[in-house]
Amino acid sequence: MTGALSLNTATVQRLSLGQAADLCVRHEIPAIGLWRDRVTQAGAAAAAATVRAAGLHVSSLCRGGFFTHADADARADTLCLVSGGLVPGSKDLGQARQMIADAIGELVPHAQRHGVRLGLEALHPMFCADRCAISRLADALDLALLFPADAVGVVIDTYHVWWDASLAADIARAAGRIASYQLCDWVVPLPADMLLGRGHIGDGHIDFPPISAQVRAAGYAGFAEVEIFSQEAWDAPADQTAATVRDRYERLAGDRAPGGRPVAGR
Amino acid sequence: MTGALSLNTATVQRLSLGQAADLCVRHEIPAIGLWRDRVTQAGAAAAAATVRAAGLHVSSLCRGGFFTHADADARADTLCLVSGGLVPGSKDLGQARQMIADAIGELVPHAQRHGVRLGLEALHPMFCADRCAISRLADALDLALLFPADAVGVVIDTYHVWWDASLAADIARAAGRIASYQLCDWVVPLPADMLLGRGHIGDGHIDFPPISAQVRAAGYAGFAEVEIFSQEAWDAPADQTAATVRDRYERLAGDRAPGGRPVAGR
């Protein structure tokens, strides 16, 4: 098994949940990150059974609620939250951020009751207006720190935060709060659809080894989840994509990454 | 005259320097921001004469050196610097930032000798890899503070920094260091060429009145320079563009902006 690696289903957009689970097993990837659409498509109970039968851990669930699932084993560790941008018709970023904080406050008791941790994800500032008004790890962390550590953590996605001069300091400050670590690369030029511009680890400009080392030094022992939104990755055969994901992770961001630097691993 | 307004020549891409100067006079815009290409095209001496004959102030010169011009009156107040992204072939952001700091250190004595202030401009994080590794006003300011205030300041461009939760605090901290204030709006979706996605004040998501008020409260008494890279603005008749620039500035970002809040003005 490849230590800390997890494959997010968004990386293999064309596969059903069952096919994605088989792919992980075939490529010795021990965990899977799920998106709600795939879970809804399969049905929650069937999705849980599929993942369990494959022996996979669910490293995260993106943007929805596994909250009410009765089977604790089938629950994701973390529910990733993308907070939303400006309120329609408003230009008041402060108001948007206050609404996000209020919503987290309302969700926390539910999450605690069901043993799921909320993961606040900062999205790249280019998504601030229309998708997420939390633009830096520092801001996600400041918000998470208002709540108990077991209820609210942060999601660190290299694509969204790599550029930040305060990243190393913010990761250190996030010790005990890192709920998920996601990886994909920043490739230029960005495509017309900005959401699809992400690359395999090593294909772009992000320096992964130091970031992985910082995440591990902050005490994170969870999976490193590779989530790539890319038409090119989606058009490639899934086995090729999975092999590339695993190879790049091991060479550039995993326990045996170059330089002997310790990196995130379970 | 419209108090603090300045028209950057990038907003009227198709005009020669002489035509742009005439346009400013026709629309009672008292200052002009110049790009080097236009100055080079006209010749430095002729460019200076054109601007002087029109009675215009030069609020900034973008990305080049008026350093050696003998006539002090024809010099720009500020030389805007865009620092550059990652070193080609490298993923080391720290190295890029160190090289930028070193370069500023080398430029400072020349700038001081010629009485021009360097303006460090943070560019939006989406340009970090390929254009500018200084991504936040806070980072530009930290760098500027290493040098004398009369030699190095910061350029605040709403398009690049509007999303930052620390913006108000950073503007306050920039008191005495604001070398230029530039305005254009953030419009979504971004076009395929990210460089051309900027909108007229009021066409996008940026809340200008509080930012202008913060800039003025920090003691900035210079021009507010409207610089819009937009195919749409370029394709429109220049007089229409200039009229829109002036109207939007007065209504949304100038001294008589709504709410009675004080805003940047000379």
Side-chain angles (χ1 to χ4, degrees), chain B residues 99-216:
Chain B
M99 284 179 66
I100 292 166
D102 291 346
I104 306 290
E106 287 177 30
L107 282 174
V108 161
H110 299 280
Q112 287 183 304
R113 197 173 316 132
H114 294 285
V116 169
R117 196 182 198 190
L118 303 176
L120 307 185
E121 182 168 8
L123 256 55
H124 194 283
M126 69 187 180
F127 299 118
C128 183
D130 47 353
R131 301 185 75 82
C132 182
I134 307 294
S135 304
R136 297 178 58 222
L137 174 57
D139 300 329
L141 186 57
D142 286 345
L143 186 47
L145 289 169
L146 300 176
F147 304 99
D150 64 339
V152 184
V154 294
V155 176
I156 299 177
D157 185 323
T158 56
Y159 185 82
H160 294 302
V161 301
W162 73 279
W163 56 270
D164 194 328
S166 301
L167 182 60
D170 293 332
I171 290 174
R173 192 162 67 91
R177 291 282 181 166
I178 303 175
S180 176
Y181 176 46
Q182 298 187 328
L183 299 91
C184 71
D185 213 339
W186 179 271
V187 179
V188 290
L190 297 188
D193 182 342
M194 292 193 305
L195 289 176
L196 301 184
R198 309 184 192 186
H200 278 292
I201 293 171
D203 282 351
H205 293 280
I206 299 178
D207 196 13
F208 290 94
I211 300 176
S212 288
Q214 290 152 13
V215 168
R216 184 176 173 84

Side-chain angles (χ1 to χ4, degrees), chain A residues 91 97 126 136 163 204, chain B residues 91 97 124 126 136 163 204:
Chain A
K91 299 182 181 186
R97 288 165 180 152
M126 71 186 177
R136 298 179 58 222
W163 55 271
Chain B
K91 300 183 182 186
R97 288 166 180 151
H124 194 283
M126 69 187 180
R136 297 178 58 222
W163 56 270

Side-chain angles (χ1 to χ4, degrees), chain A residues 223-246:
Chain A
F223 292 98
E225 190 174 304
V226 175
E227 181 191 45
I228 300 172
F229 294 82
S230 153
Q231 197 60 53
E232 204 177 306
W234 294 344
D235 290 343
D239 278 285
Q240 181 187 315
T241 297
T244 302
V245 164
R246 190 178 152 182

Side-chain angles (χ1 to χ4, degrees), chain B:
Chain B
M1 284 287 171
T2 303
L5 184 59
S6 171
L7 182 72
N8 187 293
T9 54
T11 309
V12 286
Q13 188 81 352
R14 294 170 173 222
L15 302 192
S16 70
L17 178 56
Q19 290 171 323
D22 287 345
L23 184 76
C24 286
V25 171
R26 218 157 47 237
H27 291 267
E28 300 183 333
I29 295 171
I32 193 165
L34 302 179
W35 275 69
R36 260 185 93 183
D37 58 348
R38 225 64 62 87
V39 173
T40 304
Q41 189 183 40
T50 298
V51 169
R52 195 167 37 219
L56 296 172
H57 195 90
V58 179
S59 55
S60 78
L61 176 69
C62 284
R63 310 208 305 199
F66 241 31
F67 281 161
T68 56
H69 202 283
D71 181 351
D73 288 343
R75 278 181 212 140
D77 293 342
T78 296
L79 178 71
C80 300
L81 297 179
V82 169
S83 305
L86 289 165
V87 178
S90 162
K91 300 183 182 186
D92 189 339
L93 270 175
Q95 177 199 27
R97 288 166 180 151
Q98 187 57 55
M99 284 179 66
I100 292 166
D102 291 346
I104 306 290
E106 287 177 30
L107 282 174
V108 161
H110 299 280
Q112 287 183 304
R113 197 173 316 132
H114 294 285
V116 169
R117 196 182 198 190
L118 303 176
L120 307 185
E121 182 168 8
L123 256 55
H124 194 283
M126 69 187 180
F127 299 118
C128 183
D130 47 353
R131 301 185 75 82
C132 182
I134 307 294
S135 304
R136 297 178 58 222
L137 174 57
D139 300 329
L141 186 57
D142 286 345
L143 186 47
L145 289 169
L146 300 176
F147 304 99
D150 64 339
V152 184
V154 294
V155 176
I156 299 177
D157 185 323
T158 56
Y159 185 82
H160 294 302
V161 301
W162 73 279
W163 56 270
D164 194 328
S166 301
L167 182 60
D170 293 332
I171 290 174
R173 192 162 67 91
R177 291 282 181 166
I178 303 175
S180 176
Y181 176 46
Q182 298 187 328
L183 299 91
C184 71
D185 213 339
W186 179 271
V187 179
V188 290
L190 297 188
D193 182 342
M194 292 193 305
L195 289 176
L196 301 184
R198 309 184 192 186
H200 278 292
I201 293 171
D203 282 351
H205 293 280
I206 299 178
D207 196 13
F208 290 94
I211 300 176
S212 288
Q214 290 152 13
V215 168
R216 184 176 173 84
Y220 179 73
F223 292 98
E225 188 174 306
V226 175
E227 180 191 47
I228 301 172
F229 294 81
S230 153
Q231 197 60 53
E232 205 176 304
W234 294 342
D235 290 344
D239 278 285
Q240 181 187 316
T241 297
T244 302
V245 164
R246 189 178 152 182
D247 171 63
R248 300 295 180 83
Y249 172 73
E250 290 181 351
R251 286 199 290 124
L252 296 170
D255 284 321
R256 286 166 292 176
R261 286 176 282 192
V263 294
R266 201 180 185 90

